[in-house]
Amino acid sequence: VEWQTVKTYEDILYHKMDGIAKITINRPHKRNAFRPKTVFELYDAFCDAREDRNIGVVLFTGAGPHTDGKYAFCAGGDQSVRGTAGYVGDDGVPRLNVLDLQRLIRSMPKVVIALVAGYAIGGGHVLHIICDLTIAADNAIFGQTGPKVGSFDGGFGASYLARIVGQKKAREIWFLCRQYDANQALEMGLVNCVVPVEELEAEGIKWAQEILEKSPIAIRCLKAAFNADCDGQAGLQELAGNATLLYYMTEEGAEGKQAFLEKRKPDFRQYPWLP
Ligand code: 2NE
């Protein structure tokens, strides 16, 4: 089976193969930094993957290497289009639309795996944080730059990072703006494994295939449960939405709808009050 192009975009590539979607930021000359258009395109592709019943896993990665030989997952917001109130697109409107993308990746009931080769920096680092799993190439470099370049992500970028690596380490990452290599990232639990760069995609496919053998409903409920632990009412909404989905799939749930449509009283007496 080979990757099939799903749709053609300007800033990203979008492929599918056998239950797996692959979304690639394609601006290697900018170390895959994102402008508003990049984020809109990513959002569109992630929505498609979310809606596709055949897709269970999304691999999220960056195109590379660039002509100078360097790799990047994503170097965050494109500073060359940063205006006074966000990143400015062709329409002249300043935006921080990457926050919408973060929420989509976090809440979609499919597993999103970041494949990081080279730099995952700034808002690009937060994008890998938000993914369910991260597979790092041996050349991966991680870090935040906000306090150096006049920015910060106090949302998932701070609080969820701290859940992953602990408060002390998260504060170090943000306050010192250092860069960390793949093995340091592995040591602090920031990534799931490290592989040679040439094996990155194959490893991602292997993990995806292992996940695809598992129960879709079990995985979606687990993702929602992990999220609910940190995400307050939005997390509970996600988790409870799965309970509603499962309830709709029961005879008991269907009886309510059927009775309404048949203009009769529902007969719930036939269903047990389980202990
Ligand atoms: C990523 C890093 C460390 C790579 O360094 P190096 O030395 O390998 O490459 P270089 O020469 O800096 O970059 C190569 C080309 O990519 C562009 C550069 O300007 C350069 O272009 P040319 O000079 O060749 O034309 N480039 C790289 N990153 C870019 C960026 N983010 N925006 C625009 N152009 C970029 C090094 O490049 C680096 O530190 N990059 C900046 C990382 C950064 O600070 N990102 C923004 C953080 S804030 C953010 O992302 C954010 C947020 O905090 C909250 C909400 C939303 C977004």
Side-chain angles (χ1 to χ4, degrees):
V1 193
E2 290 196 343
W3 291 117
Q4 303 291 324
T5 299
V6 181
K7 186 171 168 184
T8 305
Y9 296 95
E10 200 175 324
D11 286 6
I12 71 166
L13 306 170
Y14 184 28
H15 297 93
K16 286 181 188 169
M17 173 180 66
D18 204 19
I20 307 170
K22 182 174 65 159
I23 300 175
T24 308
I25 305 177
N26 189 24
R27 305 186 80 214
H29 60 293
K30 294 261 186 189
R31 302 282 185 253
N32 292 322
F34 54 78
R35 54 181 175 170
K37 179 191 274 276
T38 322
V39 176
F40 280 128
E41 292 183 354
L42 287 169
Y43 198 89
D44 188 68
F46 271 101
C47 277
D48 177 87
R50 179 188 177 131
E51 297 303 321
D52 186 339
R53 302 164 57 124
N54 296 315
I55 295 296
V57 178
V58 181
L59 303 179
F60 185 23
T61 194
H66 182 44
T67 49
D68 63 4
K70 287 198 179 179
Y71 289 79
F73 170 71
C74 175
D78 185 334
Q79 299 303 294
S80 67
V81 300
R82 183 170 145 189
T84 50
Y87 298 86
V88 182
D90 295 341
D91 57 5
V93 178
R95 291 190 169 85
L96 282 169
N97 56 345
V98 74
L99 303 182
D100 301 330
L101 176 66
Q102 290 178 4
R103 287 197 301 277
L104 174 59
I105 293 172
R106 180 132 177 110
S107 66
M108 63 190 285
K110 316 278 170 101
V111 177
V112 183
I113 306 178
L115 302 183
V116 177
Y119 293 105
I121 297 283
H125 188 250
V126 179
L127 282 178
H128 106 84
I129 289 171
I130 217 84
C131 292
D132 297 293
L133 302 164
T134 298
I135 302 177
D138 49 8
N139 67 357
I141 298 171
F142 300 87
Q144 298 296 157
T145 59
K148 224 167 45 176
V149 300
S151 183
F152 64 93
D153 182 335
F156 289 119
S159 61
Y160 187 50
L161 176 66
R163 294 280 185 132
I164 296 170
V165 300
Q167 284 282 341
K168 295 279 183 190
K169 204 71 196 176
R171 287 168 202 233
E172 173 192 312
I173 290 169
W174 274 102
F175 295 172
L176 279 74
C177 297
R178 286 183 183 165
Q179 293 183 352
Y180 302 85
D181 67 24
N183 286 322
Q184 289 172 305
L186 185 63
E187 222 167 82
M188 63 175 111
L190 192 55
V191 304
N192 294 89
C193 70
V194 180
V195 297
V197 66
E198 59 276 9
E199 291 170 24
L200 184 62
E201 182 172 306
E203 189 70 15
I205 292 170
K206 197 171 130 206
W207 283 53
Q209 285 169 339
E210 267 186 67
I211 292 165
L212 289 169
E213 286 165 9
K214 309 297 184 296
S215 156
I217 287 185
I219 299 280
R220 72 180 284 144
C221 289
L222 282 165
K223 177 163 177 171
F226 284 124
N227 288 354
D229 182 42
C230 322
D231 292 359
Q233 289 197 332
L236 285 177
Q237 183 217 30
E238 228 179 89
L239 189 60
N242 286 307
T244 308
L245 179 151
L246 290 169
Y247 180 52
Y248 275 21
M249 289 164 76
T250 64
E251 274 184 26
E252 182 181 336
E255 166 62 11
K257 175 199 72 173
Q258 210 49 38
F260 175 81
L261 293 177
E262 291 168 10
K263 301 189 185 304
R264 63 173 169 83
K265 218 174 141 194
D267 175 16
F268 287 122
R269 290 254 169 164
Q270 53 184 313
Y271 301 107
W273 295 85
L274 293 171

